[in-house]
Amino acid sequence: MGSVSAPRNEPAPNTPYFTPIQNPPAGTALSENPPTLFTPLKIRDVTFQNRIWVAPMCMYSADNGHLTDFHLIHLSAFAYRGASLTIIEAASVLPNGRISPEDAGLWSDSQIAPIQRISTFLHSQNQKLGIQLAHAGRKASTCAPWLLERGKAITATEEVGGWPDDVMGASAIRWGEGYAVPREMSRSDIQGVVEGFREAARRAVQAGVDVIEIHGAHGYLISSFLSPISNRRTDEYGGSFENRIRLLVDVVKAVREVIPEGMPLLVRVSSTEWMEKQAQESWDVESTIRLAKLLPGLGVDLLDVSSGGNNEKQAVTPFNNYQVGIAGRIREELYKAGIKDLLIGAVGMITEAEAAKEIVEKGKGDGLVEIEDENGGIAKADVVLVARQFLREPEWVLRVAYRLGIKVQWPSQYDRGRFVKGSKI
Ligand SMILES: Cc1cc2nc3c(=O)[nH]c(=O)nc-3n(C[C@H](O)[C@H](O)[C@H](O)COP(=O)(O)O)c2cc1C
């Protein structure tokens, strides 16, 4: 019998267990000339095979800050089905920065291993892992949302693992009903938070994450410092714009100092706190544009444009893609100022394939964008971040590709399950 060489089911490299190599990674376009949504994006040393990212989502399921098997399965489900970046939920840099007692954390070395387990798996699938580093500030020590009654927050007392007497914020102003009254942070509290971010970033690198996002949105600590409504400080961390952004700037510098040069750094902000009509001065899109112009100089690569969350009285009714216009406006202002090295992420109720495609497509001329880059136009954003749609459809990337008529790589094991041409999905 002549020996015929059989093809080998090749193992993924650098993985302590057998799993088939995924090359190219799931979610890579196989069709010629795909739309921008399915073209690669390189940020520093990291290449993403498409422009669809999983936004951070708190699961209120951690064990004293440690991620568990739940998180491994939950995050991996999106990643191995082709999301080019999956971002771990807000992980608190200090114990009192958790939103709920069951929030993720990265204040201790013991929290590295469960993250490393996730990064090892994602890398075995040729996919990328991010983590959002956070401190909840005056919104800390609350109960998981499914425990609330009529949507009102409930303070987590010490009995259920909370720390209502150790909640801190920019000023001693309670967020609203159901929240603890924060103490105004001292200089040493501020230094503790900055060091917390630095140490957590160092641990994240050790855990093998590819990307770090700093949470500066939704009324949590950094966001509450940005706003003149929640920040009434009279020291160098309050008052002027320069003073209110100081905590964010300190945190960005501390994080950038300890992460590799080649690692992308993202910042998420609430681009407006939706208080333009209720307050004389608030954090608004103009403030975000001003901040955005400073970020590339600090080593930030991408601004993730969210909104709201800092005030009980915020006035906004979300509709599909409602934050995307703001992302486009910020990008446009940056281009006008000649700043092209800050990428923009759009997020918020992006649920349709066509919408996702349109957001990152260049030169589509929707009236919002008047200036052009060398390729004849600019998009509203460079990537889309999607949260809830992934909870509904973990295979959303594969569905989007199918709906747009683009052939993409599937996970090899699932190849026989490809959507059947002509079927309605
Ligand atoms: C269950 C859940 C948890 C969330 N947790 C976070 C979080 O940890 N950090 C954050 O910045 N945003 C968080 N968000 C907001 C999402 O990242 C996203 O910005 C928002 O849901 C809008 O996007 P979507 O319409 O695609 O869901 C969360 C949203 C959901 C639904």
Side-chain angles (χ1 to χ4, degrees), residues 55-59 89-90 132 215 218 268 347-349 386-388:
M57 280 181 275
C58 285
M59 290 286 110
E89 66 192 72
Q132 186 184 51
H215 197 346
H218 306 160
R268 171 170 269 201
V347 65
M349 298 181 79
V386 174
R388 286 166 291 183

Side-chain angles (χ1 to χ4, degrees), residues 57-67 71 89-107 111 134-148 153-158 160-164 167 178-180 215 220:
M57 280 181 275
C58 285
M59 290 286 110
Y60 312 94
S61 305
D63 183 355
N64 191 25
H66 299 79
L67 301 190
H71 299 92
E89 66 192 72
S92 184
V93 303
L94 294 175
N96 74 350
R98 288 171 290 172
I99 302 167
S100 84
E102 297 79 30
D103 274 23
L106 200 39
W107 66 81
Q111 289 154 345
H135 190 292
R138 62 177 179 159
K139 292 175 85 175
S141 193
T142 59
C143 296
W146 57 81
L147 302 173
L148 310 188
I154 301 175
T155 303
T157 56
E158 274 163 11
V160 296
W163 52 96
V167 170
Y179 287 85
H215 197 346
Y220 299 111

Side-chain angles (χ1 to χ4, degrees), residues 23-84:
N23 191 19
T28 303
L30 303 174
S31 308
E32 295 274 304
N33 301 320
T36 306
L37 189 63
F38 283 96
T39 59
L41 174 69
K42 184 161 190 261
I43 309 181
R44 294 186 186 249
D45 288 351
V46 182
T47 302
F48 305 92
Q49 73 274 27
N50 59 50
R51 310 301 184 95
I52 304 175
W53 291 357
V54 181
M57 280 181 275
C58 285
M59 290 286 110
Y60 312 94
S61 305
D63 183 355
N64 191 25
H66 299 79
L67 301 190
T68 72
D69 286 4
F70 169 81
H71 299 92
L72 170 70
I73 289 162
H74 156 72
L75 296 163
S76 300
F78 316 129
Y80 79 73
R81 289 174 167 94
S84 67

